Structures are given as structure tokens and as C-alpha cells.
Amino acid sequence: MAPQQAALVNLSPAELSFLRASLAQTPPIRLDVTKGPRDFRSMRAEYDVLPGANGSARIALEDGTEALVGVKAEVEKTPQRPASGEQEDVEMHDEEVGEGAGKGQNSWVEMSVEVPGFREDDSLPVFLASMLKESLLASRELRDRLYINRRFHWKLYVDVLLLSPALSYPLALLSMTTHLALLTTLLPALKSEKDEDPLFDDDWDAAVALYPKAAGKSTDKPPVIILAMAVGPNIIFDPCKEELAVADAVLAIACTNSASSATGARIVSIRTIDPPSHLTPPGIPNSMNSATGGTVPTSSTDALTQRELLATSGVWTPPRGGMKRTLVSQVTKMVVESGGVAEEVISALAAIEVG
Amino acid sequence: MNTDRRRNNAPAGGTTAPVFARTIREPGYLQSLRPSRSRGLNELRRIFLQTSIIPSASGSAYLEIPSSSAPVTLTLIPPTSSLKITASVQGPKPLPRSAPFSPSLLLTTTVKFAPFATRNRRGYIRDTTERDLGVHLETALRGVIIGERWPKSGVEVVVTILEGDEDGWWGDSGSEGSASGSGWGLLNVLAGCITVVSAAITDAGIDCVDVVTGGVAAIARTSDSGNSKVVARLLDPCPAEHKEIVAACAVAYLASRDEITEIWMKGDCGQDTDALTEGATHSAVGSLAVVKEVLLEALQAKFQGQLEASEGSLKRKVGDVDMTG
């Protein structure tokens, strides 16, 4: 029963109250005063850093958090089942055109996340891995591109490594690094035909991209996860550790570029994240503190009543309850609208690859 | 990864549903077994809920959502699964002396599928999906429980899933477009867990801001006769009844505050997610009606029992007086 949040900040109730008040005013003043509510922290990114992987990327934030992602693909045999085998035979002759369409399976993608200081079955890495994987598998295209023929498929291993200790909530950073690594992943070109044992071209220049790029056409891209938090009426993107400690609610929104139009984005997954503010210590007001001239409440019920009356006094109390429904839709709208946060992030990551 | 090194376990792969000869001989036969939704789009499945089922725990509850489709006589395999969940709450109790100081109640949630809960056997050690469900459940409850009233103490919520909703129809597994691993059933399981744990926490008498309930909504593609795809929003989806679910969403909803403490949405939701969250909250309000009734009933039964007991003891005392006098 030890506290699981290693990234808990050590701020006093007075500091928390001050931070919250400055984030809740309009316009909000963030911890880094030069940043607006929609600004991300600056980062350095590079791709193709691991020679042994099919695709790789490394992103370092300015506060020293650094993530490394390697994508490896292996050819694997598809297990055959008697019933489905018979049926597939019939269908294969009908639709030879759309090879692989609808044949991909969820188990062909494997994701592992390693965060220093956490065991791999701790809740944080498990949560991160399942969110990353679920957003990746939300659209069919990736799964179907892993299909080689009826007997073989690619198995994709995405290994995510956080090199530094988790200074802030690392979900957004890991997802952006994974996005960049998948975007630059190359698979060897297939030379064999149909149901033959797969044989590949040994020329690396002929390799095909896992996420093919067509000039002038919007193709699908790997998803990217954006962290947003709500403080009072304000919505703040890419919060740092101290800002998270006073959040009313935190949302992680995974989105990818929209299939129909060049602008905007579509959502593939949303999860709420438990804000660490629920675990912060409540402040003790002067009126309840004998050291500052107050009177200590005589009974515990008296203390409870006095605490409940404090709600608007500015003394820090951990937030209760959840997010209003309108706030959720407001956040998603800010993310997906054309010219929104998602589009900005995706185009910025695409620009890294172009050079 | 999470291998159990102390026991000799069965192979990790598990077993698949048996393949019967008739399904291979007649290609149309298998499809004729496919269940379909007989409820309306906005109609929920029936819910059975009971509190105080485990006497040794400070609070407990049992939830059952029976399978809605009629049983088939043609085959041994049930068409759809039902949902059966038990929850027990231990505490609040003081933390061990070795634990560091905590200003608020430490909440630990453990979600475990029973080995026989799904078609493929589950192991004894919690796997990643179970841990992930535990995190979701914890998020849903953290905002509801007023933790600052119990410093230096902890509460453990243990949820056992006796039967879980499936990700898809059993006949689809292994073939193309298989729903295995898509996790649509997990959303139903999470919503059920939230509802049952909320009842158990109220049973344990832990201070909450409101009664939280879970609800699920989905967008499913139903292919009509004319090959035109119709996309419809449904409340409380049973994944086995739908061939293709596009997106689904589970929420933990506080009805009187109109707030969401937990939202888990997955799939291709497009640009506008409001319809999904709204559907899920409607479904949560539906289960709230059941939870309220059950909690009221439990409360009445408790006070009735106390009243009778006190009356009984009073009578005995009176009798005692008579005897001595």
C-alpha cells in the first residue's frame, strides 16, 4: 500500500493555492510565464537513431526528460484454424484485390513501456502501454498492412524507453516519440508472391514505409496523445508536474489526422487520468490553528463542518468530483478543430522528418 | 512478463471454442447462430444488484447483468455472455506503521477475472488488462471519495469478475475481422465494476460526494440488406450482438453534480464525441436508478432488523422483570 505516484511534488498547501489561483484567472499565468495555455514545452527530436531497428526516434524535453523508441518487425507464422481456413478459401477467390484488407489482428502489435523506478507490472507503465497500444490499433490500416499472406504476417514490436526518471507525466512525450518512430519505420520490400514463403528484397533503398506517404494526398498517420488539464474555467495543454498537482481534471486525448479532409483531426481514444491533486495535503486555516490565534475544533465533527465551510476561502483543499460534460466536449473541440492543437502537433512532427 | 514461477501452469495460449463438424459442412449454419440485438437502441439490459453479501468485509455488493438474447437449443454454446461481478471493500483501516505518512485515504483497487470468467482461461496472476482496469476504476473512485477525512488510513477495493462480457461473438474468433483483443467487452466490465463498487462503498459507509455509476454507449455499423452501412448509436451494447463496433465509450457519472470522473473512449470516434459521452451518461443514469433502489432497500432492511432486535431485547427485559418481580 505504498503511494504509487513517484512524481508527486512537494508543494505546501499555500504554494498549491497560489499556483491554482494564478492558473485559474483569465488569462492564466502558467509556471513558465512565457507560455500561453496552448503552448507546448520546447523539445529536441531526432529519428533513425538505432541502426538495429526498423524505425526509431528520440525526443528530449528541455527539463531533461528523454524518451527513446525502437520499432522492430519480425515475420511470424499465422496460426491456422480448421473452420476459418475452409471459409477463407472461398472468399480469397472473390476478393483478390484488397489484399490484407480486414485481415489484420490485434495481437500482431506488441507494445512495452519501461519507466525507470517502476516495475513493468506497476500501474503507470501498464496504463501508458495500454493507452498507446489502444490508440494505435483503433484504425484498421496499420493492422492490415502487417498482413503478408495467408500463412505469414509481420509482428511489430514497439519498445518505449524513458531514459530519465519520470519528472512529469510522460504520456505525451512517449506518444510523440512513438509517433515519430512509426512514421519513419521501413519494412523490407516483399519479392515473393501470394502464398509463397515470404522472400524480401535485400536492398534497403527499396524498403516500403509502414505509413506510406503519398504526395499531395493525406494519408493516415500514427496517433499522437495530447494531455490537457482543466483548472477552473481554463484549459491548459501539456502541463508540467507542478501544474498537474493543482489540476481539477486531466484528460489524455489520442488523435490522428482526419481521413477525409487535410485539416483537423479525429479522435481515436480518450482517457481520464487521475490528477495527483487528489493526494495533496489540505491546508489548515488560521481560524483552526491555535498557533496563529485560532481555536482548534473540539470534536472531529466540528472539524469536518469547519472544513466544509472553507470551500471558497482560498485555503487549499484537494479538488473533489470530476469534469463537467461541457468541459469534456470543449477540450475535445479545441484538440480536433481545424487549426487545433492536434493538427499543430502532427504537422510539427511531420516537419521533423522532412528536414 | 508476468509469469507465475511457483506453479506449473497450463500453456499461456489457452483454448479456443470447439469447432463442430457441422459448421464446416454447411457454411451458412454458423451464421445462423449469430445473436442479434432484440432490445431497442436505447434500452438497457436488466440489472440485478445486492449489497452486504460478504459479512466479513466492511462493504460488499454483487452485480449481475444477465444475457438478453434467448437461449438457443441448436447448440451447446451460449450465444452471448452475461456479466457477474462481486466487489468487497476492506477498511478504512490504519496504514501499517512502516508506511509513510499520507494526508488522505489511500485507495487500492484490485480487479481480477476469475480463471473461468471468459472463454479463454485467465491465469492466477493479474495480467495487463486487469491492471489497466484497476487503474480506470481507481480514477473513477478517487474523485468521488472524500479522502482528506481519513488521513493515515487505507481502503482496499477488491473486485472479482465471475463472468465477463466478451469482445465479440465466439463464431468470429480466428477468422478475419476478429474482435479478439479489441477490448469492447472490457468497457462493459469497467462500467459494471464502477456501479458495483459504488454500491459496496456506500454499504461500507465511506463518505462520498455522490453515488457514481458506470454506463456504456457504442457506435455500431449494421449492414442492411442493400449493402448500405448504417451507423447507429446504442446504449449498453452487448459486443456479441454486433458484427462491427466502430467506437465505444464508458463513463463514471455523478448524476446530481452532472460530472464525469472517468471516461474511457476508444475506436474511431471521428470529430464529434459528444453523442457518445451523452449516450454513456444516459446509460449510467439508468443504472443509477437500480443502485438507488437497492441501497434504499438495504437501508430499510437494516433499520427494520435493528428495530426488531431492539424491540425483542426490550420484551425480554420486560419478561425478565416479570420473572424476578
Side-chain angles (χ1 to χ4, degrees):
Chain A
M1 265 230 240
Q4 280 162 9
Q5 296 274 343
L8 208 62
V9 287
N10 291 316
L11 291 179
S12 70
E15 284 167 321
L16 290 168
S17 177
F18 172 75
L19 195 55
R20 199 203 128 90
S22 59
L23 283 173
Q25 66 186 8
T26 38
I29 297 175
R30 295 184 64 170
L31 204 66
D32 181 351
V33 285
T34 57
K35 286 196 166 56
R38 289 175 50 151
D39 291 344
F40 276 59
R41 285 167 287 179
S42 62
M43 57 182 85
R44 274 174 296 120
E46 53 180 334
Y47 65 97
D48 258 349
V49 283
L50 306 172
N54 289 57
S56 58
R58 189 187 73 105
I59 292 185
L61 288 182
E62 59 188 358
D63 64 357
T65 329
E66 195 169 341
L68 183 67
V69 171
V71 179
K72 284 193 76 106
E74 283 176 8
V75 176
E76 206 180 49
K77 255 194 163 151
T78 315
Q80 303 284 320
R81 294 186 67 236
S84 54
E86 291 271 320
Q87 285 169 354
E88 242 172 62
D89 234 9
V90 183
E91 278 165 35
M92 275 298 280
H93 297 296
D94 298 344
E95 31 145 9
E96 211 99 301
V97 219
E99 50 110 23
K103 294 211 173 63
Q105 282 171 23
N106 288 326
S107 56
W108 295 354
V109 177
E110 202 153 290
M111 173 92 66
S112 82
V113 173
E114 243 187 78
V115 180
F118 288 88
R119 282 172 45 163
E120 72 185 350
D121 54 355
D122 270 344
S123 60
L124 181 74
V126 164
F127 184 83
L128 294 177
S130 53
M131 170 124 201
L132 288 170
K133 187 177 174 183
E134 147 188 312
S135 54
L136 203 59
L137 291 171
S139 57
R140 293 227 94 134
E141 286 90 359
L142 172 69
R143 268 182 283 164
D144 294 344
R145 249 176 261 137
L146 297 177
Y147 177 86
I148 297 174
N149 59 36
R150 262 175 55 205
R151 292 185 298 131
F152 292 94
H153 63 258
W154 287 108
K155 176 128 187 178
L156 206 64
Y157 294 92
V158 183
D159 296 298
V160 183
L161 219 69
L162 194 67
L163 296 177
S164 62
L167 295 174
S168 58
Y169 200 77
L171 183 57
L173 171 72
L174 298 185
S175 117
M176 283 191 281
T177 321
T178 314
H179 176 97
L180 194 57
L182 282 168
L183 207 59
T184 55
T185 297
L186 298 173
L187 296 176
L190 191 67
K191 273 170 96 178
S192 59
E193 288 175 348
K194 285 186 188 156
D195 277 347
E196 292 171 359
D197 282 2
L199 185 72
F200 297 98
D201 201 336
D202 62 354
D203 186 1
W204 196 240
D205 289 335
V208 288
L210 183 63
Y211 282 91
K213 287 171 278 289
K217 207 174 129 238
S218 81
T219 51
D220 74 310
K221 294 217 173 85
V224 65
I225 298 172
I226 290 160
L227 218 59
M229 78 172 203
V231 177
N234 292 329
I235 296 164
I236 289 162
F237 288 93
D238 193 35
C240 69
K241 183 175 67 167
E242 287 83 4
E243 287 168 339
L244 274 177
V246 297
D248 288 341
V250 186
L251 268 189
I253 302 169
C255 33
T256 177
N257 61 338
S258 69
S260 49
S261 65
T263 56
R266 65 196 160 93
I267 290 175
V268 288
S269 168
I270 299 182
R271 285 179 182 216
T272 39
I273 289 165
D274 188 28
S277 52
H278 285 317
L279 294 173
T280 49
I284 294 165
N286 283 348
S287 60
M288 283 168 71
N289 189 355
S290 59
T292 52
T295 43
V296 180
T298 44
S299 66
S300 59
T301 43
D302 190 23
L304 276 185
T305 344
Q306 286 199 31
R307 281 228 70 91
E308 292 307 309
L309 294 174
L310 279 177
T312 51
S313 65
V315 174
W316 174 255
T317 36
R320 291 173 189 170
M323 245 177 146
K324 292 271 182 229
R325 239 189 312 166
T326 46
L327 199 61
V328 176
S329 68
Q330 204 183 333
V331 174
T332 52
K333 205 170 155 226
M334 279 175 85
V335 170
V336 296
E337 69 190 348
S338 98
V341 181
E343 198 188 323
E344 240 172 76
V345 173
I346 290 174
S347 57
L349 285 169
I352 294 169
E353 199 206 348
V354 173
Chain B
M1 203 167 85
N2 302 316
T3 43
D4 179 5
R5 292 192 195 84
R6 300 192 183 173
R7 278 165 281 256
N8 283 327
N9 272 319
T15 53
T16 48
V19 178
F20 295 109
R22 193 169 166 195
T23 56
I24 297 177
R25 272 205 312 274
E26 298 170 37
Y29 170 68
L30 192 65
Q31 293 304 318
S32 74
L33 295 177
R34 181 184 286 278
S36 65
R37 190 178 169 111
S38 49
R39 302 170 274 149
L41 291 182
N42 290 334
E43 205 178 322
L44 309 183
R45 287 177 288 184
R46 300 151 70 90
I47 300 174
F48 173 82
L49 185 69
Q50 194 180 351
T51 54
S52 314
I53 48 156
I54 303 169
S56 60
S58 50
S60 59
Y62 172 74
L63 172 112
E64 184 170 334
I65 300 180
S67 159
S68 61
S69 40
V72 201
T73 45
L74 283 170
T75 168
L76 289 169
I77 306 172
T80 56
S81 57
S82 53
L83 192 63
K84 291 172 188 163
I85 307 174
T86 64
S88 64
V89 176
Q90 312 275 351
K93 55 188 177 187
L95 287 177
R97 280 171 182 279
S98 57
F101 173 77
S102 153
S104 56
L105 186 69
L106 271 187
L107 178 72
T108 320
T109 50
T110 313
V111 177
K112 182 80 192 83
F113 279 90
F116 46 79
T118 47
R119 234 174 259 280
N120 283 342
R121 185 181 162 276
R122 299 268 178 169
Y124 297 115
I125 302 246
R126 284 193 298 152
D127 63 8
T128 50
T129 58
E130 286 157 353
R131 283 174 197 279
D132 191 28
L133 276 178
V135 177
H136 279 294
L137 186 61
E138 194 181 327
T139 310
L141 297 177
R142 265 283 168 68
V144 183
I145 293 177
I146 306 175
E148 71 208 57
R149 293 193 184 165
W150 283 279
K152 299 177 277 183
S153 44
V155 63
E156 276 174 58
V157 175
V158 182
V159 178
T160 309
I161 296 148
L162 301 175
E163 197 175 335
D165 253 345
E166 291 170 300
D167 292 339
W169 181 51
W170 58 269
D172 279 336
S173 63
S175 63
E176 71 260 37
S178 88
S180 63
S182 62
W184 300 125
L186 289 180
L187 294 170
N188 276 345
V189 170
L190 176 69
C193 285
I194 290 166
T195 308
V196 72
V197 168
S198 165
I201 280 181
T202 316
D203 186 36
I206 298 175
D207 296 10
C208 292
V209 292
D210 192 4
V211 176
V212 64
T213 47
V216 188
I219 293 176
R221 200 171 283 153
T222 45
S223 52
D224 268 10
S225 49
N227 209 14
S228 61
K229 301 267 181 168
V230 186
V231 175
R233 187 194 78 177
L234 357 126
L235 302 191
D236 191 19
C238 180
E241 289 171 350
H242 304 285
K243 198 163 184 186
E244 198 183 347
I245 293 179
V246 182
C249 169
V251 297
Y253 185 58
L254 304 172
S256 66
R257 294 167 68 104
D258 187 28
E259 284 180 348
I260 295 172
T261 54
E262 154 75 20
I263 175 167
W264 185 12
M265 189 183 286
K266 57 202 271 183
D268 197 349
C269 316
Q271 289 229 329
D272 195 24
T273 56
D274 290 352
L276 261 181
T277 40
E278 200 188 304
T281 51
H282 285 330
S283 155
V285 169
S287 40
L288 176 68
V290 178
V291 174
K292 261 188 183 161
E293 280 297 309
V294 169
L295 289 177
L296 267 178
E297 253 173 50
L299 208 64
Q300 270 173 350
K302 201 168 154 188
F303 280 112
Q304 200 74 38
Q306 273 184 7
L307 213 64
E308 272 164 19
S310 61
E311 271 175 10
S313 63
L314 214 67
K315 261 180 201 160
R316 210 176 325 124
K317 262 184 196 158
V318 172
D320 281 354
V321 170
D322 277 352
M323 284 291 278
T324 50

